[in-house]
Amino acid sequence: MRWTKTHLFTLKEAPSDAEIVSHQLLVRGGFIKKVAPGIYTYGNLALRAIRKFEAIVREELDRRGCTEILMPMVQPRELWEETGRWSKMGDGLLKFQNRNGHWHCLGATHEEAVTDYVRSDVKSYRDLPKTIYQIQIKYRDEIRPRFGLMRGREFIMKDAYSFDLDAESALKTYQLMYEAYQAIFDRLGLIYRIVQADAGPIGGSQTHEFQLLAEAGEDALLVSDSSDFAANVEICPAIDAEPQRAGGATPVGATPVGAFSVGGEGATGLSPDENLQPLSPFATPGLKTIADLAKATGLPERELVKTLFFSANEGLDPKDKSLQPIAVLLRGSDEVNLVKLKNLLQLANPPRMLTEEEVRQTAGAGPGSCGPVGLKIPIYMDTGVQGLKNYIVGANQEGFHLRHVNHERDYKPTQIVDLRVAREGDRDPQGPGRLRACRGIEVGHVFYLGTTYSQKMNACYLDREGKARPLEMGCYGIGVSRTVQAAIEQSHDQDGIIWPVALAPFEVHLCALDMGDPGVKSLTEKLEQELEARGVGVLVDDRDERPGVKFKDADLLGFPVRLNIGRKGLEAGVIEVIVRRGRQVRKVKPDEVIPVTEKLLRDLKQSETRSETRRGGGRETL
Amino acid sequence: MRWTKTHLFTLKEAPSDAEIVSHQLLVRGGFIKKVAPGIYTYGNLALRAIRKFEAIVREELDRRGCTEILMPMVQPRELWEETGRWSKMGDGLLKFQNRNGHWHCLGATHEEAVTDYVRSDVKSYRDLPKTIYQIQIKYRDEIRPRFGLMRGREFIMKDAYSFDLDAESALKTYQLMYEAYQAIFDRLGLIYRIVQADAGPIGGSQTHEFQLLAEAGEDALLVSDSSDFAANVEICPAIDAEPQRAGGATPVGATPVGAFSVGGEGATGLSPDENLQPLSPFATPGLKTIADLAKATGLPERELVKTLFFSANEGLDPKDKSLQPIAVLLRGSDEVNLVKLKNLLQLANPPRMLTEEEVRQTAGAGPGSCGPVGLKIPIYMDTGVQGLKNYIVGANQEGFHLRHVNHERDYKPTQIVDLRVAREGDRDPQGPGRLRACRGIEVGHVFYLGTTYSQKMNACYLDREGKARPLEMGCYGIGVSRTVQAAIEQSHDQDGIIWPVALAPFEVHLCALDMGDPGVKSLTEKLEQELEARGVGVLVDDRDERPGVKFKDADLLGFPVRLNIGRKGLEAGVIEVIVRRGRQVRKVKPDEVIPVTEKLLRDLKQSETRSETRRGGGRETL
């Protein structure tokens, strides 16, 4: 394709709202242009990358017997009422009335639509299993769209849905799709990890995320340094690496007398023989934070206990104004994991913290002075607190704390459960190793759903005995547009994008430096035609621009191989062949350019798709 | 592909809301399934036909230097306010607020979006011309969706937009796109006509529709029997075929004394020497309709004059309650053409007729007794009335008419203009022939827009003199999903679809009649693999069903060539090869099946794409 014949304009500066480098490069390279927050037009180059990725996805799914269909983006309310998600999905599901006053939404996901599609056809066990997929535009009304295609409102997604006879067969299908996803992401020439994850509002009991590793990724991951274990921090079990050094609660101002727990697997706490001391309040005027208290008491934050308050209301129904407060106890050094809390409370979305006023109503004192003793609401204690004895908590009286507090004796936790955020250095839950932290961009997600949707939507089949049974389902998503941007986030340098061959909009960037020169012109035409005929996509920069401008743009757009054809080079009998990754320059005779280019592309592709590289070093298995 | 591995279920009965045969066949064949009125899921087979069509469209557009992009379906209100179409588009444009309270709409068309896309890039005359297109989901909130994909709410469209330096260059691009459309529709194996058309709310001054001919088509067309002329009836000039026999207005009950006009080209009327007779009222109690009046007077309806009243208000702004009535005069035998009237009044939509009450307020009498004499509002006279003299109109007094009415003397028409519906037998406006009527399905539409959008949206470029000039635009649509259904409407028989090769989801339907038989099984596998390897799509009906069931489904799905492989046939050394169109059966030896099938497909394709057939007999040119 000729640059001057297409619509392609590069920019020197990225817009101020492009916070991460991949977003900046997409805009500067003319790949995307913003229409509204989270809503973009894809230029020709972005579309080419997307289509290449879609072709890979189709190939791997079709090969495994999946059937492609296309469901509508506009869906009637009635479908979503069947599963209760019309309200449960919250404001991310964009709803509107059409001209006839009927409520519809824009498809944010298609479990309801696909189950409806399948239920009227599938009658018997003989019709199963089936896996159906589509590649389609989705809309989610993100409250704060950002990072370009990474968290957009309108985006392109591949979503697949499987229907099986029973759980055993459904888990086989899950494994098959897991392998399909490995095959897809192995082909991209990018580094990714497969991690355990939260099922979110989709529901379901088994789920893995496919995460492209990148510093700017929105997801914090923890991966084992010695086993296959990898998890999104949202659900990663938190197990202290070292037995806890707990001092018990000593009087304010006194030197803490430490004691070391004996420390079993992940256990924390004091030595079992420490005596429980009598509960007593003490004045802590002006001490509002854990840091204040640690400073005043001389105790480390991890030996103090903090009490947080949340609303267990679903929060989605604006009419439900009643408050259902709960308390969470954590060590002062720990952070509450809202996803763990959400799942514990069986909510669709993470619960909100109570306001200062609501805390006061609930506990009798403000957030700086409250604690579990005397509370009449459910108290969820993080396992990190379990081993502490004689500790300090707020007294539920303004400006006072209690010391020598002990659970069971002074208050009864409703449940002791892992509610804190795991962190780098924590113990690998599946082996003797430690967790290390990295960041990822979620590009794929597989879920085993069970019969959550089929039961609600009465999607059944008759088994061999003629008995109606609900379909066993799974669902499997790939963020198509997001993956294309994530590839850039992982693969770029200071001058621009470095496309892996598998996703490159064009494989070859041909800089024709003197198109006025007949030799340059005819060789350019010849190479363009011959490469295209061999299935190699070529962008010819035939603009009337200085070489420096063309080279800068070539680096920005980042196609794998660049050819510089100029009058001077041709006089010397050479063309420059430059691989974008590393920018090594080869001087090649004109009649060797095609075999050299093809070999370079082959070699690049091969090195990019070595799966031991792709899967982030450690082979991930189910 | 194996039937049992895909998701494909046929139905014996079409749903009751499927009024036309193509809709019935699409549903019965499992091609589409309704999700909501006008909203469908496309099954795998429909998607294959759509993808094949899309590939043809891409090929012809890319070949002509068009650039593909992808614009969003959700668009911000601000863009549409720039052109005034936020309100002008009416209720067909689906509008909603997102969670932040910002108004958006679902893209029904993309002039605003594409002009916005281009205006920030295109700076200079050197950047032009450019033609940009996308293939995308559109949503139009049809008030009464019907006929399946033919008039759906959510549908797939190819829309292209051109940007040129000046009108001359824009009309060249128009011609290029016109030719691209011919090339596209020539390849489909279907009969179509290119007709002059109304520009509708898109705007623009030159426009042609590409119409696939079919009895069930929504568009009435008039095509010349002797010239290239063809037009949508909406805009077809009406020229009487025969000079009008006009009797003038004779007294009620008296025998009319006829007089013949001399009749120039398209002229109607009385002989020029007929005297104007004195105006006089007469009682016509109970005579409310033209038919009543014709019966009572003995005059033919075409010699009577009727007066219709319309509101010239835009009707889109619900706040504008003031009435702007106008009157239209037509011969009693003619029908008003609302599109001509809309264009005359420069409205976005056809005007509405006044209610009986509004007529009474405007004219002083009800619809049966009113006429032009004494009216204080604009009076638009159809050319058919122009030649009449001494005619009868309502007296604007209940139960009375006037006789011997003559325009200019008794009232002044504001304008004399073609406002009636043309009809079969009318004169060809471009030649000596006559018009004949047919019906079509609009599948493509090309518009020359001029600077309507670029001026409003300030989309300019700097010309050679450095002067800012607005971009000259055109827009070009193809209804992708509609074309696929229209193909079926044109090409089917009582048993099912007859796909042209170009659109067939699969080229070959392989009925494996005894899959238990090892010979049948191995030959089926071999043929499937070898045909697929040669690029021929094969659906293998490997279901455990009787031959009759398989044959019925094969006829219903309508792929071009069917192979019947059965145990008995193989014992006799033959396979049945059946062409769907005509259903001729050939008995072919197994090792000749592939060359025979390939030749049949080649021959079919060739016969289907002869352009003299495709263009409905008469070669259409601009």
Side-chain angles (χ1 to χ4, degrees):
Chain A
M1 194 168 74
R2 296 296 170 111
W3 187 307
T4 57
K5 298 284 177 210
T6 186
H7 185 93
L8 176 53
F9 297 85
T10 58
L11 299 175
K12 288 216 175 58
E13 302 287 337
S16 58
D17 70 345
E19 299 168 46
I20 61 174
V21 66
S22 53
H23 186 186
Q24 292 162 1
L25 292 172
L26 280 173
V27 176
R28 286 186 49 212
F31 292 88
I32 61 171
K33 198 178 277 189
K34 184 163 130 180
V35 177
I39 299 175
Y40 293 87
T41 288
Y42 303 94
N44 182 261
L45 294 184
L47 199 57
R48 281 173 190 263
I50 287 169
R51 296 277 186 256
K52 276 180 101 167
F53 183 41
E54 288 179 354
I56 290 171
V57 171
R58 276 198 183 94
E59 222 176 281
E60 296 296 338
L61 295 185
D62 290 351
R63 176 179 296 170
R64 288 166 177 84
C66 304
T67 300
E68 187 177 2
I69 67 168
L70 183 60
M71 290 178 275
M73 71 195 195
V74 174
Q75 300 177 13
R77 170 180 181 153
E78 291 71 21
L79 267 184
W80 291 75
E81 291 284 12
E82 289 190 48
T83 60
R85 290 210 296 179
W86 181 257
S87 56
K88 213 175 168 190
M89 288 286 285
D91 288 340
L93 188 70
L94 194 135
K95 299 159 187 164
F96 55 82
Q97 284 178 290
N98 74 357
R99 71 190 297 165
N100 305 121
H102 293 135
W103 280 99
H104 291 75
C105 65
L106 289 184
T109 171
H110 280 66
E111 283 78 12
E112 283 80 1
V114 77
T115 305
D116 179 54
Y117 182 70
V118 163
R119 66 180 165 185
S120 59
D121 291 327
V122 167
K123 304 268 187 290
S124 143
Y125 66 94
R126 282 187 303 261
D127 299 330
L128 297 170
K130 292 262 180 279
T131 301
I132 288 175
Y133 76 97
Q134 62 173 355
I135 297 178
Q136 201 228 21
I137 301 283
K138 297 260 182 293
Y139 188 91
R140 288 185 193 164
D141 211 16
E142 292 284 350
I143 196 158
R144 201 167 76 85
R146 59 193 182 280
F147 307 147
L149 308 181
M150 215 79 109
R151 187 160 294 279
R153 284 183 170 148
E154 187 174 324
F155 55 96
I156 302 173
M157 188 170 163
K158 188 286 300 172
D159 43 332
Y161 305 90
S162 63
F163 299 88
D164 276 275
L165 289 171
D166 51 30
E168 193 189 353
S169 151
L171 286 168
K172 267 188 207 150
T173 301
Y174 182 91
Q175 176 68 29
L176 187 77
M177 294 301 285
Y178 184 101
E179 287 163 12
Y181 275 39
Q182 283 185 314
I184 289 165
F185 290 110
D186 280 352
R187 286 175 65 175
L188 297 193
L190 297 166
I191 298 169
Y192 70 97
R193 290 291 296 225
I194 305 168
V195 306
Q196 297 176 14
D198 180 52
I202 301 279
S205 56
Q206 179 160 10
T207 176
H208 286 88
E209 287 172 352
F210 288 69
Q211 294 269 359
L212 285 192
L213 301 189
E215 274 313 304
E218 286 192 285
D219 286 307
L221 312 179
L222 289 163
V223 299
S224 170
D225 59 9
S226 65
S227 80
D228 285 341
F229 180 82
N232 192 309
V233 72
E234 288 181 350
I235 60 102
C236 187
I239 305 171
D240 290 350
E242 304 298 334
Q244 185 184 25
R245 184 191 171 282
T250 37
V252 177
T255 311
V257 182
F260 293 85
S261 85
V262 289
E265 161 126 347
T268 61
L270 302 185
S271 61
D273 54 352
E274 190 185 8
N275 291 327
L276 303 190
Q277 297 177 37
L279 181 70
S280 65
F282 63 104
T284 48
L287 303 185
K288 288 290 184 190
T289 66
I290 286 289
D292 293 343
L293 204 63
K295 201 170 163 198
T297 61
L299 289 169
E301 293 191 0
R302 66 192 316 246
E303 291 170 18
L304 299 169
V305 173
K306 63 185 173 190
T307 311
L308 305 176
F309 295 87
F310 294 90
S311 156
N313 299 48
E314 192 51 89
L316 293 176
D317 182 2
K319 280 168 288 180
D320 184 2
K321 299 289 186 205
S322 71
L323 192 64
Q324 297 167 31
I326 60 125
V328 170
L329 301 186
L330 292 156
R331 286 179 297 199
S333 55
D334 288 329
E335 248 183 279
V336 64
N337 182 320
L338 288 175
V339 173
K340 290 179 183 174
L341 185 57
K342 173 203 80 168
N343 291 337
L344 175 70
L345 301 173
Q346 297 187 304
L347 303 178
N349 292 294
R352 71 167 177 84
M353 277 192 118
L354 297 196
T355 63
E356 196 166 326
E357 186 47 40
E358 287 169 337
V359 170
R360 232 175 280 278
Q361 283 167 19
T362 303
S369 304
C370 44
V373 180
L375 285 184
K376 298 273 180 283
I377 60 173
I379 298 170
Y380 297 99
M381 174 191 277
D382 175 60
T383 52
V385 181
Q386 187 173 14
L388 298 183
K389 283 185 182 173
N390 298 325
Y391 44 87
I392 294 174
V393 300
N396 293 333
Q397 189 184 347
E398 219 61 64
F400 281 85
H401 279 75
L402 299 174
R403 66 186 163 215
H404 302 146
V405 176
N406 289 284
H407 38 283
E408 302 306 333
R409 185 191 69 181
D410 304 321
Y411 68 97
K412 253 192 131 45
T414 310
Q415 202 172 338
I416 301 172
V417 58
D418 175 8
L419 284 177
R420 68 188 185 278
V421 175
R423 55 177 64 167
E424 183 152 61
D426 275 3
R427 192 175 286 181
D428 173 355
Q430 288 178 6
R434 295 286 178 270
L435 299 180
R436 52 190 180 76
C438 57
R439 298 196 72 84
I441 300 162
E442 183 197 337
V443 287
H445 208 151
V446 291
F447 294 96
Y448 164 54
L449 295 173
T451 57
T452 317
Y453 292 89
S454 52
Q455 283 190 318
K456 285 179 182 160
M457 295 186 70
N458 195 27
C460 295
Y461 71 96
L462 296 179
D463 68 10
R464 280 168 204 277
E465 282 74 43
K467 208 184 124 208
R469 296 181 55 172
L471 296 165
E472 281 277 341
M473 290 174 59
C475 75
Y476 317 89
I478 289 180
V480 173
S481 43
R482 180 189 282 184
T483 299
V484 168
Q485 181 172 341
I488 298 173
E489 192 60 40
Q490 188 178 99
S491 184
H492 66 268
D493 62 16
Q494 72 281 7
D495 296 315
I497 299 168
I498 304 174
W499 286 105
V501 178
L503 295 178
F506 290 94
E507 284 84 26
V508 170
H509 194 124
L510 198 164
C511 286
L513 300 181
D514 313 273
M515 275 298 266
D517 181 90
V520 170
K521 187 162 179 285
S522 73
L523 185 60
T524 295
E525 278 164 12
K526 182 168 166 278
L527 288 178
E528 181 188 12
Q529 281 166 21
E530 290 192 17
L531 284 168
E532 291 275 4
R534 284 155 190 266
V536 178
V538 183
L539 179 72
V540 177
D541 187 348
D542 59 341
R543 293 176 299 168
D544 183 20
E545 289 284 4
R546 285 177 298 111
V549 171
K550 294 193 175 194
F551 297 160
K552 258 198 150 50
D553 276 341
D555 281 345
L556 173 62
L557 299 183
F559 307 148
V561 172
R562 181 186 358 144
L563 307 180
N564 292 342
I565 306 185
R567 196 170 40 80
K568 274 195 181 168
L570 285 193
E571 281 168 11
V574 293
I575 287 171
E576 286 182 341
V577 180
I578 301 146
V579 173
R580 176 66 183 87
R581 192 183 299 277
R583 273 189 292 211
Q584 204 200 326
V585 180
R586 288 169 177 78
K587 289 187 190 288
V588 176
K589 288 182 204 157
D591 56 1
E592 285 170 9
V593 166
I594 288 179
V596 166
T597 302
E598 287 193 311
K599 179 160 190 331
L600 283 172
L601 288 170
R602 255 195 326 271
D603 291 351
L604 275 171
K605 207 159 178 175
Q606 205 166 26
S607 78
E608 284 168 1
T609 53
R610 275 200 307 270
S611 69
E612 63 273 26
T613 318
R614 302 287 68 78
R615 291 171 189 169
R619 174 88 174 82
E620 306 289 347
T621 54
L622 263 172
Chain B
M1 195 170 72
R2 296 296 169 111
W3 187 306
T4 57
K5 299 283 177 214
T6 185
H7 185 93
L8 176 53
F9 297 86
T10 59
L11 299 174
K12 287 216 177 57
E13 302 287 340
S16 58
D17 70 344
E19 297 168 48
I20 61 174
V21 67
S22 54
H23 186 186
Q24 292 163 1
L25 292 172
L26 279 174
V27 176
R28 285 186 50 213
F31 292 88
I32 61 171
K33 198 178 277 190
K34 184 163 129 180
V35 177
I39 299 175
Y40 294 86
T41 289
Y42 302 95
N44 183 262
L45 294 184
L47 199 57
R48 281 172 189 264
I50 287 169
R51 296 279 185 253
K52 276 180 100 168
F53 184 40
E54 289 179 355
I56 290 171
V57 170
R58 278 199 181 94
E59 221 176 281
E60 296 297 338
L61 295 184
D62 290 350
R63 175 179 297 170
R64 288 167 178 83
C66 304
T67 300
E68 186 177 2
I69 66 168
L70 183 61
M71 289 178 274
M73 69 194 196
V74 173
Q75 300 177 14
R77 170 181 180 152
E78 290 72 20
L79 268 184
W80 291 74
E81 291 284 13
E82 290 191 47
T83 59
R85 290 209 298 178
W86 181 257
S87 56
K88 212 175 167 190
M89 287 286 283
D91 288 340
L93 189 70
L94 194 136
K95 298 159 186 163
F96 56 83
Q97 284 177 289
N98 74 0
R99 70 189 298 166
N100 305 122
H102 293 134
W103 279 99
H104 291 75
C105 66
L106 289 185
T109 172
H110 280 67
E111 283 78 12
E112 283 80 0
V114 78
T115 305
D116 178 55
Y117 182 70
V118 163
R119 66 179 165 185
S120 59
D121 291 324
V122 168
K123 304 268 186 293
S124 143
Y125 67 94
R126 282 187 303 260
D127 300 330
L128 296 171
K130 292 262 181 279
T131 301
I132 289 175
Y133 76 97
Q134 63 173 353
I135 297 177
Q136 201 228 23
I137 300 283
K138 297 259 182 293
Y139 188 91
R140 287 185 192 163
D141 212 17
E142 291 284 349
I143 195 158
R144 200 167 75 85
R146 57 194 182 280
F147 307 148
L149 309 181
M150 214 78 110
R151 188 160 292 279
R153 284 181 169 149
E154 186 173 324
F155 55 95
I156 302 173
M157 188 168 165
K158 188 287 299 173
D159 43 332
Y161 305 89
S162 63
F163 299 88
D164 275 276
L165 288 171
D166 51 30
E168 192 189 355
S169 151
L171 285 168
K172 267 189 206 151
T173 301
Y174 182 91
Q175 176 68 30
L176 187 77
M177 293 302 284
Y178 184 100
E179 286 163 12
Y181 275 39
Q182 284 185 314
I184 289 164
F185 290 110
D186 280 353
R187 285 174 65 176
L188 298 193
L190 297 165
I191 298 169
Y192 70 96
R193 291 290 298 221
I194 305 168
V195 306
Q196 297 176 14
D198 180 53
I202 300 278
S205 56
Q206 179 159 10
T207 175
H208 285 88
E209 288 172 350
F210 288 69
Q211 294 268 0
L212 285 193
L213 302 189
E215 274 311 304
E218 286 193 284
D219 286 308
L221 313 178
L222 288 164
V223 299
S224 169
D225 59 9
S226 65
S227 81
D228 284 342
F229 180 82
N232 193 310
V233 73
E234 288 181 350
I235 60 102
C236 187
I239 306 171
D240 289 349
E242 303 299 336
Q244 186 184 23
R245 184 193 171 283
T250 37
V252 177
T255 310
V257 182
F260 294 85
S261 85
V262 289
E265 161 124 347
T268 61
L270 302 185
S271 61
D273 53 352
E274 190 185 9
N275 292 325
L276 303 189
Q277 295 177 41
L279 183 71
S280 66
F282 63 104
T284 48
L287 302 185
K288 288 289 183 190
T289 65
I290 287 289
D292 293 344
L293 205 62
K295 203 170 162 197
T297 61
L299 289 169
E301 294 189 0
R302 67 191 317 244
E303 291 171 17
L304 299 168
V305 173
K306 64 184 173 190
T307 312
L308 305 176
F309 295 88
F310 294 89
S311 157
N313 299 49
E314 192 51 89
L316 292 177
D317 182 2
K319 281 168 285 180
D320 184 1
K321 300 290 185 203
S322 71
L323 191 64
Q324 298 168 33
I326 59 125
V328 171
L329 300 186
L330 293 156
R331 288 179 297 199
S333 55
D334 287 330
E335 249 182 280
V336 65
N337 182 322
L338 289 174
V339 173
K340 290 179 181 174
L341 185 58
K342 174 203 81 170
N343 291 336
L344 176 70
L345 301 173
Q346 297 186 304
L347 302 177
N349 291 294
R352 72 167 176 84
M353 278 191 114
L354 297 196
T355 62
E356 198 167 323
E357 186 47 39
E358 287 170 336
V359 170
R360 233 177 279 278
Q361 283 168 19
T362 303
S369 303
C370 47
V373 180
L375 285 184
K376 299 272 183 283
I377 61 175
I379 298 170
Y380 297 99
M381 175 191 277
D382 176 58
T383 52
V385 180
Q386 186 171 16
L388 298 183
K389 283 186 180 173
N390 298 324
Y391 43 86
I392 294 173
V393 301
N396 293 332
Q397 186 184 350
E398 219 60 61
F400 282 85
H401 278 74
L402 300 174
R403 65 186 163 214
H404 302 146
V405 177
N406 289 284
H407 38 280
E408 303 305 333
R409 184 191 70 182
D410 304 321
Y411 67 96
K412 257 192 127 46
T414 310
Q415 201 172 339
I416 301 172
V417 57
D418 175 8
L419 284 177
R420 68 188 183 278
V421 176
R423 54 177 67 167
E424 183 152 59
D426 275 2
R427 192 177 285 180
D428 173 355
Q430 288 178 6
R434 295 286 178 270
L435 299 181
R436 51 191 180 76
C438 57
R439 299 197 72 84
I441 300 163
E442 184 197 336
V443 288
H445 209 151
V446 291
F447 294 95
Y448 164 54
L449 294 173
T451 58
T452 316
Y453 292 90
S454 53
Q455 283 190 320
K456 286 180 180 160
M457 295 186 69
N458 195 27
C460 294
Y461 70 96
L462 296 179
D463 68 10
R464 280 168 204 277
E465 282 73 44
K467 207 182 124 209
R469 296 181 56 172
L471 296 166
E472 281 277 341
M473 289 173 59
C475 74
Y476 316 90
I478 289 180
V480 173
S481 43
R482 181 189 281 184
T483 299
V484 167
Q485 181 171 341
I488 298 172
E489 192 61 38
Q490 188 178 97
S491 184
H492 66 268
D493 63 15
Q494 71 282 5
D495 296 316
I497 299 167
I498 304 174
W499 286 105
V501 178
L503 294 178
F506 289 95
E507 284 84 25
V508 170
H509 194 125
L510 198 163
C511 287
L513 300 181
D514 313 274
M515 276 298 267
D517 182 90
V520 170
K521 187 163 178 282
S522 73
L523 185 60
T524 295
E525 278 165 10
K526 182 168 167 276
L527 287 178
E528 181 189 12
Q529 281 168 19
E530 289 191 16
L531 284 168
E532 291 276 4
R534 284 153 189 266
V536 178
V538 183
L539 178 72
V540 177
D541 187 349
D542 59 341
R543 293 176 300 167
D544 183 19
E545 290 283 3
R546 285 178 297 112
V549 171
K550 295 193 174 192
F551 298 161
K552 258 196 150 52
D553 276 342
D555 280 346
L556 173 63
L557 299 183
F559 308 148
V561 172
R562 183 191 351 149
L563 308 180
N564 291 342
I565 307 185
R567 195 170 41 81
K568 273 192 180 170
L570 284 194
E571 281 168 12
V574 292
I575 286 170
E576 286 181 342
V577 179
I578 301 146
V579 173
R580 177 65 183 86
R581 194 183 297 278
R583 271 189 293 211
Q584 205 200 326
V585 180
R586 287 169 178 77
K587 289 186 189 289
V588 177
K589 287 184 206 158
D591 55 1
E592 285 170 9
V593 166
I594 287 178
V596 166
T597 301
E598 287 194 310
K599 179 160 191 333
L600 282 172
L601 288 169
R602 257 195 324 271
D603 292 350
L604 274 171
K605 206 160 179 175
Q606 204 164 26
S607 78
E608 283 168 1
T609 52
R610 277 199 306 269
S611 69
E612 62 274 26
T613 318
R614 302 287 67 79
R615 291 173 189 168
R619 173 85 174 83
E620 306 289 345
T621 54
L622 263 171

